[in-house]
DNA sequence: TGCCACACTGACTGACCAGTCAATCGATCC
DNA sequence: GGATCGATTGACTGGTCAGTCAGTGTGGCA
């Protein structure tokens, strides 16, 4: 059944990403999506039960992939720094691959505390929990400091990544490949090693 | 003129904060604001030219105070860590003082890349720039590492703070005083010192 | 006492738009 | 050829809501 039928569904979803990214979920009309997809208005309702369900579908499709990426990083035998690097890399690559989709997910779902945020709160929390698990593991191995809770560290880490993406989303000039790659290492550097210069020897600052 | 006239204006603004926080800007009706304020529908338009202008007013009122706090931190003679701590503290205290207002600002303005985000993009960027200036200063003094750009560090710092607030905003259980205070130090700890345990001696990881 | 200015009221309107549905198209099978 | 059924169409409806405006209090001032 992966014929014209499923194709049109996909066409509508892809059009919705572009329209949501351009105009925002609340501001756009369903007819905008239909027009963008080159499809009759009614067909949207043949494949989706509501405007909201389109956004839900887009979010879940992508978020489930991310949860898998987080789980995979956690299970890998790498150092915790590299696990976090893998997650940051995955998110940044997601942006590279489809900036519009990431914009929609971040702006319309992840940060929308009222409407959709609440619907998908569980899924969103799963992501934080996965990151927190990595931090907790690193603490137990004595590799990460224990005076910052894993939950807090997860928020700080994810927040940094999302904020960097938000910066790109808002930015009028497109982001270069180089900058994307550079961001990956800078995130890990900042969160794992901190901004302070490790004053090796003289003025030692204790926690 | 600071009589009943200005009072009603304030009453409407305060009511709007509660309504926006509860229902979201796009989902609420102007009549909801009027009802919450205990005021006739038309009076809202006596003081404000549009629903949007109410949100603008709320945002600008608070954001300008924050920009001042950032500038003040930058100009103070404290260590860069303490400057960042002062900013994190200010934002967290803002949340303590009026969680609804912070929710509205973060959810409806700061992260709304389409509608209001664009209007206030300049003001929002001013905040990042202020934080970046502190980091740049610390780098020039040789106190912060220079392989992370000030702009990036500012994003990471602000993103961490905002994400922690977002966590509280989403959370159903209210946040304790203790947790608010603890967050201040954990943010500075994380961003300045990093999550890694400073392995003093043995397994040294180079950047 | 009468007049003015302005705070205040809330019914109304005009526009907009999500979702419906009856009709058409076209592929496939008998 | 024609019966069946899902895909596709787009005009239409019902409800919602931002913003308007004509009118009513009310406090101050001459």
């Amino acid at each position: 059944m992966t014929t014209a039928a499923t194709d049109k569904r996909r066409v509508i979803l892809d059009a919705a990403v572009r329209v949501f990214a351009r105009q925002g979920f609340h501001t756009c009309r369903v007819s905008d999506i239909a027009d963008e997809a080159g499809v009759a208005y009614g067909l949207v309702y043949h494949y989706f039960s509501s405007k909201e369900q389109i956004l839900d579908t887009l979010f879940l499709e992508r978020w489930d992939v991310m949860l898998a990426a987080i789980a995979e990083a956690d299970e890998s035998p790498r150092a915790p720094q590299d696990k976090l690097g893998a997650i940051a890399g995955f998110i940044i690559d997601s942006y590279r691959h489809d900036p519009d989709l990431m914009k929609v997910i971040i702006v319309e779902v992840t940060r929308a505390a009222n409407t959709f945020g609440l619907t998908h709160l569980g899924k969103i929390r799963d992501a934080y929990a996965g990151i927190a698990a990595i931090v907790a593991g690193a603490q137990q191995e004595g590799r990460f400091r224990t005076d910052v809770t894993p939950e807090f560290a997860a928020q700080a880490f994810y927040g940094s990544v999302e904020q960097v993406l938000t910066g790109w989303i808002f930015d009028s000039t497109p982001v270069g490949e180089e900058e994307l790659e550079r961001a990956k290492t800078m995130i890990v550097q900042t969160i794992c090693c901190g901004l302070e210069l490790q004053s090796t020897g003289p003025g030692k600052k204790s926690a």
Side-chain angles (χ1 to χ4, degrees), chain A:
Chain A
M1 289 300 151
T2 319
T3 49
T6 6
D7 278 62
K8 280 285 170 67
R9 198 186 125 94
R10 190 74 258 164
V11 166
I12 292 169
L13 281 172
D14 292 345
V17 168
R18 272 171 272 135
V19 173
F20 288 160
R22 195 193 311 135
Q23 304 175 235
F25 177 81
H26 291 284
T27 334
C28 82
R29 290 162 290 181
V30 173
S31 65
D32 293 332
I33 301 173
D35 290 351
E36 176 82 25
V39 134
Y41 185 92
L43 195 63
V44 175
Y45 286 91
H46 182 70
Y47 289 106
F48 302 95
S49 60
S50 69
K51 186 184 174 188
E52 200 169 306
Q53 209 213 357
I54 302 176
L55 181 56
D56 283 351
T57 305
L58 290 171
F59 169 75
L60 290 174
E61 261 184 17
R62 193 69 209 159
W63 201 259
D64 281 342
V65 179
M66 191 171 89
L67 288 180
I70 293 173
E72 193 197 310
D74 191 10
E75 286 156 17
S76 78
R78 281 174 282 191
Q81 291 86 341
D82 295 337
K83 290 179 182 177
L84 293 182
I87 294 171
F90 175 84
I91 298 174
I92 287 170
D93 287 340
S94 295
Y95 179 83
R96 190 210 313 269
H97 177 255
D98 194 342
D100 281 349
L101 179 58
M102 290 306 283
K103 174 173 179 174
V104 170
I105 286 175
I106 290 178
V107 173
E108 306 293 349
V109 186
T110 292
R111 296 280 172 168
N114 304 296
T115 40
F116 298 100
L118 288 184
T119 317
H120 300 297
L121 198 47
K123 285 263 176 191
I124 295 170
R125 285 208 176 120
D126 286 348
Y128 303 151
I131 298 168
I134 292 175
V135 174
Q139 287 178 339
Q140 269 152 30
E141 289 172 17
R143 287 153 162 272
F144 275 11
R145 60 197 303 157
T146 51
D147 58 348
V148 171
T149 64
E151 294 72 29
F152 182 93
Q155 299 270 42
F157 172 76
Y158 182 81
S160 296
V161 177
E162 208 177 81
Q163 181 63 41
V164 170
L165 287 209
T166 305
W168 292 336
I169 287 167
F170 275 68
D171 216 339
S172 42
T173 57
V175 196
E177 281 295 310
E178 197 191 329
E179 194 175 347
L180 289 167
E181 285 309 312
R182 190 130 176 263
K184 290 185 192 175
T185 61
M186 283 201 290
I187 284 171
V188 177
Q189 283 293 312
T190 305
I191 294 293
C192 295
C193 312
L195 293 176
E196 269 180 27
L197 257 183
Q198 269 24 284
S199 40
T200 41
K204 192 103 182 283
K205 247 184 214 298
S206 64

